[in-house]
Amino acid sequence: MAAVLTAAVEFGPDHKMTLDAELLLVLTAGDKVRMEAMLSNGRQQTTGQVAINVHAMAPAPGCFLLGVASNGNTELHLVASRGHVELATLLCERAPSLVATRNRCLDTPLHCAAKAGHMDVAAILLSAMRAGGADEEAALLARNQTGATALYEAVRHGRAGVVDLLMTEVPDMSSVAIDGDGGVSPLYLAASTKSVQMVRHLLRPSRNGTPSPASFSGPEGRTALHVAATAGKEIVQAILGWEPKGPTLLTRVDSSGRTPLHFAAFYGALDIVKLFLDDHASLRLATISDNDGSFPVHTAAMVGETRTVCELIKRCPNYYELVDDKGRNLLHRAVEHGQDSVVRHICQNDKLAMLLNATDSEGNTPLHLAVQGGYPGIVSLLLATLSVDMGITNKDGLTARDLSRLARAHEVARGSSLGYDGGDCLYWLRAPSTLDGVLRFYEKPAEEDAPAEGDDMTKSGTIASVLIATVAFAAAFTVPGGFVADDHAHAGTAVLARRFAFRAFVVSDTVAFVCSIVATCFHIYGSAREIPHGHRLWYNLLASGLVPVGSQFMIAAFAFGFHLVLGSVNRWLIVFMYIFSLASVLFCFPGIWVPLRLGLGKVVWRRAGWRGLVNIYERPSSLSHFLFLFRRSFLFLNFRRPLFVLLISATFVVAIVLSIALPNY
């Protein structure tokens, strides 16, 4: 009988018998009694009532056990997947060769038991494999079509009990990684899934006391400790306690040259950073750079992890000498990535003052990079520190203000809108500049190279201004409350003309109409090619400032008109309407928020006093000169739009008070 079974197994999966429906029901249900009855009756698998005969021999009792399902699963695969212990024991006794068979996915029954987490079935299969021949025992380390062993599948599916069993019986499985030595090992996978229990099972010493043979490899040269740095302190402690391999992983680098400390710093795992530095590492670990020359302290600064930066600085007395391949220190990297919190901490710590004016390989200070990157908040933080020098030039002989002026000239030449940036603050402070008189000689983009985005903005602004003008014009002749009839005194006038809300409605609608119609005309002039480029730019700038004002007063006109329609009997509804109207004015136009610019104002006041705020350092030669200087000052640029919002808000409050105190006013 054994010879017949072996011959059937070697006959190939394409020639195996197909399991019939009755046998599938028995296997699915785990009915051991019916299975024993089928075996005792010598049942044969048939196809079309014709028994399959191997090598022209009469089919022996139990040969139907060698049949397969449509996906290549044998009876033992089906039983192992469902955790039927008794049937698994019976099948291993009657057809031991099944323990080494594979389905179309190249899974052995042990793979199926590991995936499903059936530890008892897995133990039976392990015993049968060891009791069988060399082929069965070799199947212990078999890989399926994804390259995974049974242990890897158990880790992937989170089956900690099966992992414990396999590491006890076959610890060598842990040394097999997908795709060879450079692939993903079970330990790496367990650490990435943050399973402390499975990591401890995989790192447990063998029965004879030898260390775990687990592989620590991962993709792109990373080790299990790299991914553990983002998974939690317990997993890191378990890996570091894995002698003798664990501590050596601290200095291993991946394909980008990053150590586990780089990963811990990047993800802000402060407790793991301390663990690396306290228990197992020295200054050398914190001074290992990646392929770009970045040290762990640079990585922490780049992602804004201030506490990690402080911890690394504490452990690295030579932190100021740690620069990347571009000569940039940790403050340069923080500024480059817009990390305000790190910059603020460095500016407030006198012990780190040597970083403030350090230059990189291009001669740029952190202030240069902040201006280049367009970070007005960081510019204000740096300039608020009086030890920051505004006059340092880079290797091209340019100061920070020079860079801002070149960027501004580039925007003007391209027709882009001019927003506030750090360059404004440098202008208000009269920071040194080396471009006086020679700025015009710097190359500017040709006028025909202006981006299409500017034209799109002009078209959008024109559409918005036309819509506002149309609505405001229509509202002027469909006033709330209607008009006095012809047979009454003052025929044709508005019924509610004497109400405060009506007067506010008329003023708001007028301002909205005038601003929008003027903005429409300016947009038309700004798009005319016959007009000089510089004039067109100013037309577009003025139009872009008038459209938001028209929108704000259009919202105000809506609120006042709604107030008149609701009347005095809907007092709380009127209050609700005013609150939401004011909220729309505030949130639809964030440029009017003064607090966003108060940081720059504080810097200007600290370094230049009131003269810097009004942009007047010497007596103006004429009224036009005074207006020119004041128009470009901090006070004018930052408080012109909020003035309209304050006016609208105050009018809303007056309307609410009058509706309560004098309902008929």
Side-chain angles (χ1 to χ4, degrees):
M1 175 178 173
V4 174
L5 294 178
T6 303
V9 172
E10 293 175 351
F11 203 63
D14 294 334
H15 299 279
K16 287 183 180 180
M17 298 173 286
T18 302
L19 298 174
D20 65 8
E22 182 180 358
L23 183 56
L24 285 174
L25 288 175
V26 172
L27 295 170
T28 303
D31 193 338
K32 179 184 178 183
V33 176
R34 290 181 63 187
M35 176 61 76
E36 288 178 337
M38 295 171 70
L39 289 172
S40 62
N41 292 333
R43 170 168 178 157
Q44 303 172 27
Q45 172 71 20
T46 62
T47 303
Q49 305 301 324
V50 178
I52 296 178
N53 195 337
V54 182
H55 292 317
M57 297 175 59
C63 72
F64 68 90
L65 296 178
L66 304 180
V68 295
S70 59
N71 59 353
N73 283 327
T74 67
E75 289 91 335
L76 196 54
H77 283 92
L78 299 174
V79 169
S81 298
R82 289 164 175 77
H84 299 317
V85 179
E86 294 181 343
L87 279 185
T89 304
L90 180 62
L91 291 174
C92 288
E93 292 175 354
R94 298 298 183 91
S97 58
L98 292 180
V99 298
T101 56
R102 304 194 186 196
N103 59 17
R104 291 185 178 178
C105 296
L106 301 183
D107 286 326
T108 64
L110 185 59
H111 281 91
C112 297
K115 290 179 182 179
H118 299 307
M119 188 168 59
D120 295 337
V121 176
I124 293 170
L125 295 173
L126 288 172
S127 299
M129 286 177 166
R130 286 179 170 170
D135 293 340
E136 284 78 1
E137 189 167 0
L140 287 170
L141 301 179
R143 302 188 189 192
N144 57 20
Q145 65 180 9
T146 65
T149 63
L151 177 62
Y152 191 92
E153 292 291 1
V155 174
R156 186 185 351 230
H157 290 81
R159 310 302 184 184
V162 178
V163 172
D164 184 22
L165 173 66
L166 294 177
M167 286 303 299
T168 301
E169 300 296 332
V170 196
D172 288 340
M173 274 192 186
S174 61
S175 63
V176 181
I178 291 183
D179 297 331
D181 294 336
V184 181
S185 64
L187 179 60
Y188 185 93
L189 180 62
S192 64
T193 58
K194 302 182 180 180
S195 175
V196 179
Q197 187 178 12
M198 286 194 291
V199 168
R200 288 174 176 169
H201 289 329
L202 291 167
L203 297 179
R204 187 180 56 207
S206 302
R207 287 176 175 176
N208 57 6
T210 58
S212 170
S215 170
F216 50 75
S217 65
E220 299 179 2
R222 293 190 290 270
T223 67
L225 192 57
H226 282 90
V227 70
T230 68
K233 188 174 182 179
E234 291 185 68
I235 294 179
V236 171
Q237 289 174 328
I239 295 177
L240 291 178
W242 174 34
E243 298 289 347
K245 294 182 180 179
T248 64
L249 300 182
L250 279 169
T251 55
R252 283 186 175 264
V253 297
D254 62 6
S255 58
S256 299
R258 299 185 179 95
T259 65
L261 185 57
H262 281 90
F263 277 69
F266 182 83
Y267 287 98
L270 180 61
D271 54 343
I272 295 177
V273 170
K274 291 181 178 180
L275 181 63
F276 286 164
L277 298 176
D278 285 342
D279 298 338
H280 299 276
S282 62
L283 177 62
R284 177 175 176 271
L285 179 60
T287 55
I288 297 177
S289 62
D290 62 15
N291 295 346
D292 296 326
S294 297
F295 296 88
V297 68
H298 294 153
T299 302
M302 180 180 67
V303 296
E305 292 295 335
T306 306
R307 295 189 303 164
T308 304
V309 169
C310 295
E311 186 66 25
L312 290 168
I313 288 177
K314 187 189 304 182
R315 306 304 177 95
C316 301
N318 61 336
Y319 64 89
Y320 52 87
E321 295 181 357
L322 302 180
V323 295
D324 61 12
D325 292 345
K326 296 181 180 180
R328 298 182 178 181
N329 59 33
L330 66 99
L331 180 56
H332 286 102
R333 297 302 300 272
V335 171
E336 187 180 22
H337 290 83
Q339 299 300 336
D340 302 54
S341 59
V342 177
V343 176
R344 181 179 294 104
H345 172 76
I346 294 175
C347 290
Q348 294 174 349
N349 194 334
D350 294 336
K351 296 180 180 179
L352 307 178
M354 62 184 64
L355 298 173
L356 296 174
N357 294 310
T359 57
D360 60 12
S361 57
E362 298 292 327
N364 292 317
T365 65
L367 184 59
H368 283 87
L369 298 183
V371 172
Q372 280 183 328
Y375 301 121
I378 294 180
V379 170
S380 64
L381 287 173
L382 292 172
L383 293 178
T385 307
L386 299 181
S387 57
V388 171
D389 190 346
M390 298 185 296
I392 297 177
T393 59
N394 61 15
K395 74 174 187 178
D396 296 324
L398 301 176
T399 64
R401 186 183 174 191
D402 293 334
L403 294 178
S404 70
R405 295 182 68 186
L406 289 174
R408 182 62 61 92
H410 186 76
E411 289 180 356
V412 171
R414 291 174 61 87
S416 303
S417 60
L418 302 180
Y420 304 140
D421 56 20
D424 292 317
C425 188
L426 293 169
Y427 165 72
W428 295 322
L429 295 174
R430 296 296 190 269
S433 175
T434 62
L435 294 180
D436 294 332
V438 298
L439 184 62
R440 69 184 66 180
F441 294 104
Y442 277 82
E443 181 180 359
K444 301 177 183 178
E447 182 177 333
E448 57 271 14
D449 295 335
E453 289 80 357
D455 294 336
D456 293 339
M457 289 294 294
T458 301
K459 293 177 182 178
S460 300
T462 304
I463 294 172
S465 61
V466 169
L467 288 176
I468 296 171
T470 303
V471 174
F473 182 85
F477 299 100
T478 56
V479 295
F483 300 95
V484 177
D486 293 339
D487 56 347
H488 289 72
H490 306 290
T493 60
V495 174
L496 304 175
R498 297 182 181 276
R499 302 285 298 274
F500 174 81
F502 184 87
R503 298 169 186 172
F505 165 80
V506 172
V507 173
S508 300
D509 189 69
T510 302
V511 174
F513 176 78
V514 171
C515 289
S516 58
I517 201 68
V518 172
T520 303
C521 296
F522 282 173
H523 275 308
I524 293 173
Y525 287 126
S527 59
R529 298 296 178 184
E530 296 81 5
I531 297 177
H533 175 68
H535 292 181
R536 283 190 282 119
L537 173 63
W538 283 109
Y539 281 135
N540 287 326
L541 287 176
L542 291 173
S544 64
L546 288 172
V547 170
V549 175
S551 303
Q552 294 166 17
F553 279 95
M554 194 72 254
I555 295 174
F558 165 82
F560 293 127
F562 217 158
H563 180 178
L564 294 170
V565 173
L566 291 174
S568 59
V569 295
N570 297 297
R571 184 173 301 162
W572 292 111
L573 189 58
I574 291 173
V575 174
F576 171 83
M577 178 269 302
Y578 275 127
I579 291 174
F580 270 79
S581 298
L582 182 59
S584 65
V585 173
L586 293 175
F587 290 103
C588 292
F589 308 98
I592 65 179
W593 289 15
V594 176
L596 296 180
R597 299 294 168 184
L598 290 183
L600 293 177
K602 181 180 178 181
V603 171
V604 176
W605 172 262
R606 187 171 184 179
R607 283 187 177 251
W610 65 270
R611 294 181 179 274
L613 293 178
V614 297
N615 194 33
I616 299 175
Y617 288 85
E618 57 185 14
R619 186 174 183 178
S621 58
S622 62
L623 178 61
S624 60
H625 185 210
F626 169 80
L627 294 177
F628 173 79
L629 294 175
F630 184 73
R631 182 179 57 82
R632 300 180 63 187
S633 68
F634 173 85
L635 286 179
F636 180 80
L637 292 176
N638 290 280
F639 287 97
R640 55 178 180 173
R641 287 184 180 174
L643 288 177
F644 292 113
V645 178
L646 292 175
L647 176 62
I648 292 173
S649 303
T651 311
F652 282 177
V653 172
V654 172
I656 293 173
V657 172
L658 289 177
S659 66
I660 297 174
L662 302 172
N664 296 322
Y665 181 76

